[in-house]
Amino acid sequence: MSDLTPFVVLAVALVGAGCAALLEQVVSGLRVSPQAVLTSVSRTLRQPLRAPQVRDGWLYHLAPGLLLVAAVAALAFVPWAPGFRGIDLSTGAIGFAAALAYVTPAVFMAGWGAGRALTVLGAFRWLALMLAYAMPLAMVITAVAAPAGSLRPSDIVEVQHAVPMALVQPLALALWVPAALAVCFLAPFDVAHCDEELGGGVFSEYRGLDAALVALARRVLLVAVSGMTVVLFFSGWHGPLLPAAVWMVAKTAAVAAGMLWMGGRVPRMEIDRALELAWKVANPLALVAIVWAGLVTLLFYR
Amino acid sequence: MSDLATALVFWPAVAIMLVTGVYVFRTASMARAGLLLLASLGIEGLVFLALASEFLGVLQLLMMSGEMVIMVFFMVMFMPDPGGLMGMDMTHDKRRSASLAVAVGIGLAVVAVLTDWPARVVGRDAPDVRAIGFEVMGRSMLTFLFAAMTILFAMVGGVLLAKHGGRFAQIGAAGKGEA
């Protein structure tokens, strides 16, 4: 790890967020135009900041920063090629989940700090949703790490050199996808910030730099979660002919496009239904996925 | 990390931990208290990472975020004044709780300083790792399970009390106000 690592991660985050914005245009059938992205960014940045006149208004300006830090920290755990990653921990997969865990307090701070009824309602919807989907997410990571015998993301990639984990543990993938959509603020789980029900919800009060940081953090989050999905389930940088990093980027783009495509076409799930699905279906099935991971590991990976 | 870099992370982080920890009890709002406690305990996770205790650090960061968010969620649900607009005092039974806290703190500090900690680095296949595994999954398991079930019962009980028609319901008016 060189001294330049933090800057490289930030560069990956900025470039990745830009590409994610272009990908959104592709998926929603618009003409691809970097100009439109830049125009919208500069228009947002020219807006004057808002300062909510409530007791906990200080949280309102803190939240976008924490959201971005959490997203960039999550991105730093994703390995893009052998040896090319921001943070190399032997517990990197858990570290990724730990970084994502700070999205939840950030969203709560955003909604609570804005001090409007609909922002607070959105914040509490988000808390309930994330508490419900945190356990499936953590258990799926554990299940996928079991065959590798290691929580280091690069080891998890190496163990999939022949067969991607999506084929070995399809149940884990089925549990991962809804949780990943939820943490990326995408439908059917966009209950915290939906325009139609809550008029923008938690993020509705943000203007100017605050709004730009929230938008950036959401794109970085999408890149980080798509990248980790590829690492955990689609054998990371492994692939024929092309160099490792090219495969990793291509697969990540494909997963991100898939998630955006789904997010644009699935109807929003009612919050009660989403919670019921998590507690009554996803959590018990996550236990089944762990048992399955143990069986597969003992039979084929020893 | 070098010793100097570790020290540069360690001492300011410990200072922030203590300050936010004190402010947990000086604020009047449970939402603020929960977030301050999260700041204190989350930075403790970063301290673990700075001390090269990877697993503890990552686990601390992960678990504390979840737990403090749960605390904020439940406390705002239970408290009559979650926004802290009426100047509620967060401390109770001040003299006894303060002396107990000081005594426990001194006791732990004495143990930490006087214990003869082993100076060797324990590798992946060391017998210590195996011994800890058997301790956690064997003899200590009953304690963990008992604590876990107690917390679960407390949470379920708390939710029942917070329900409409729970704690403040009139006798005979059961079910009134239920959604």
Side-chain angles (χ1 to χ4, degrees):
Chain A
M1 200 155 77
S2 80
D3 294 337
L4 286 175
T5 309
F7 298 102
V8 174
V9 171
L10 275 180
V12 170
L14 283 174
V15 172
C19 294
L22 295 179
L23 209 56
E24 278 171 32
Q25 294 176 335
V26 174
V27 170
S28 48
L30 298 170
R31 197 168 52 87
V32 180
S33 126
Q35 188 67 38
V37 176
L38 291 176
T39 313
S40 120
V41 169
S42 79
R43 197 188 303 137
T44 308
L45 284 175
R46 276 201 305 274
Q47 294 167 339
L49 292 180
R50 276 193 187 173
Q53 300 299 312
V54 292
R55 176 65 181 76
D56 286 333
W58 56 287
L59 294 172
Y60 170 88
H61 293 300
L62 217 54
L66 181 59
L67 195 62
L68 190 58
V69 168
V72 173
L75 184 70
F77 285 104
V78 178
W80 295 94
F84 189 78
R85 67 272 177 272
I87 304 174
D88 184 37
L89 290 185
S90 60
T91 50
I94 300 287
F96 175 79
L100 283 190
Y102 285 80
V103 170
T104 309
V107 171
F108 175 74
M109 282 155 63
W112 182 264
R116 302 276 178 135
L118 291 183
T119 61
V120 174
L121 184 61
F124 274 93
R125 281 184 172 193
W126 182 263
L127 285 194
L129 194 68
M130 281 300 115
L131 291 178
Y133 281 94
M135 283 317 288
L137 205 68
M139 286 198 269
V140 162
I141 289 179
T142 324
V144 170
S150 160
L151 286 164
R152 193 187 292 274
S154 45
D155 292 349
I156 298 177
V157 171
E158 280 311 325
V159 84
Q160 302 177 64
H161 63 89
V163 189
M165 210 47 80
L167 297 178
V168 181
Q169 301 192 34
L171 177 59
L173 179 62
L175 293 168
W176 172 268
V177 169
L181 285 170
V183 81
C184 288
F185 299 94
L186 289 170
F189 300 105
D190 55 344
V191 289
H193 62 101
C194 39
D195 280 328
E196 295 84 353
E197 283 175 43
L198 300 183
V202 272
F203 301 130
S204 58
E205 291 294 301
Y206 280 119
R207 299 289 182 277
L209 180 63
D210 289 330
L213 286 179
V214 168
L216 176 63
R218 282 172 56 180
R219 269 62 176 203
V220 176
L221 210 54
L222 178 70
V223 177
V225 170
S226 311
M228 198 43 104
T229 307
V230 172
V231 166
L232 292 180
F233 291 101
F234 300 105
S235 46
W237 56 72
H238 287 296
L241 298 174
L242 296 170
V246 174
W247 270 112
M248 183 65 196
V249 170
K251 287 180 189 175
T252 304
V255 168
M259 282 171 63
L260 285 172
W261 185 86
M262 211 188 251
R265 273 157 191 78
V266 188
R268 182 175 314 123
M269 202 179 248
E270 197 196 345
I271 177 79
D272 298 359
R273 291 266 177 83
L275 295 181
E276 212 171 327
L277 183 72
W279 289 115
K280 294 182 182 166
V281 181
N283 273 299
L285 281 181
L287 291 172
V288 177
I290 293 236
V291 174
W292 176 251
L295 283 176
V296 169
T297 306
L298 287 178
L299 291 177
F300 301 112
Y301 289 92
R302 283 270 146 156
Chain B
M1 263 200 278
S2 69
D3 284 352
L4 179 67
T6 307
L8 281 179
V9 176
F10 183 80
W11 292 109
V14 168
I16 300 173
M17 257 169 68
L18 288 176
V19 171
T20 46
V22 166
Y23 269 90
V24 167
F25 295 97
R26 301 199 39 102
T27 175
S29 141
M30 289 313 297
R32 244 171 276 151
L35 291 173
L36 283 165
L37 200 53
L38 173 59
S40 185
L41 295 167
I43 289 168
E44 188 183 2
L46 294 181
V47 169
F48 281 140
L49 286 180
L51 297 175
S53 184
E54 270 181 33
F55 189 61
L56 270 186
V58 168
L59 214 56
Q60 172 88 0
L61 281 168
L62 176 68
M63 301 305 290
M64 284 310 128
S65 165
E67 283 168 22
M68 291 309 122
V69 163
I70 290 175
M71 177 173 138
V72 170
F73 192 80
F74 275 74
M75 285 304 171
V76 172
M77 197 156 70
F78 292 156
M79 303 301 289
D81 175 27
L85 301 173
M86 293 187 287
M88 172 187 70
D89 191 350
M90 297 284 281
T91 53
H92 309 282
D93 200 1
K94 290 175 206 272
R95 185 168 308 166
R96 257 192 292 177
S97 50
S99 26
L100 189 66
V102 169
V104 171
I106 291 175
L108 289 176
V110 166
V111 169
V113 172
L114 293 188
T115 304
D116 184 23
W117 299 106
R120 66 211 162 81
V121 175
V122 177
R124 192 185 160 100
D125 300 319
D128 314 53
V129 178
R130 204 180 155 76
I132 291 175
F134 273 100
E135 176 64 38
V136 169
M137 299 305 283
R139 209 170 44 157
S140 301
M141 196 34 114
L142 192 63
T143 320
F144 287 131
L145 283 179
F146 184 74
M149 290 315 283
T150 311
I151 294 170
L152 185 64
F153 284 139
M155 286 173 78
V156 172
V159 172
L160 287 180
L161 283 179
K163 263 182 61 174
H164 266 301
R167 190 164 39 156
F168 302 115
Q170 287 175 310
I171 296 167
K176 209 174 175 187
E178 294 248 4

